[in-house]
Amino acid sequence: MFLPKYPDNPTPPPAYNHAPADPAPARRAAPQISISTGAVAAVLAGGVVLTALLAAVAVTAISVAIAAVVLRSMLRDQHRR
């Protein structure tokens, strides 16, 4: 009386049968990106130019600092006399 009755088929049918109405659209491939040698040359030339400008600014700053130190020492020597 209190014993459970097991079904004859131990695996129940799935509760949800997924049947797509239309097949999924095919995924498009990502566009090919081609890098030409001209683009690489332009990037390299830009990098060289920017590096040269940075070096020029650094050299100018150092030379201005040295000139300021020299002028300061010259003016200090002149005031002592």
Side-chain angles (χ1 to χ4, degrees):
M1 179 171 138
F2 294 109
L3 293 175
K5 292 186 177 181
Y6 296 109
D8 294 334
N9 188 2
T11 57
Y16 176 71
N17 292 331
H18 178 68
D22 58 341
R27 298 180 82 187
R28 292 190 317 173
Q32 291 275 342
I33 298 174
S34 61
I35 300 174
S36 65
T37 56
V40 172
V43 169
L44 287 177
V48 168
V49 168
L50 289 176
T51 304
L53 286 173
L54 181 63
V57 168
V59 168
T60 303
I62 291 171
S63 64
V64 167
I66 291 172
V69 169
V70 169
L71 283 174
R72 184 176 173 188
S73 67
M74 287 172 61
L75 289 175
R76 183 181 301 159
D77 287 344
Q78 187 178 9
H79 284 295
R80 286 185 182 173
R81 291 183 184 178

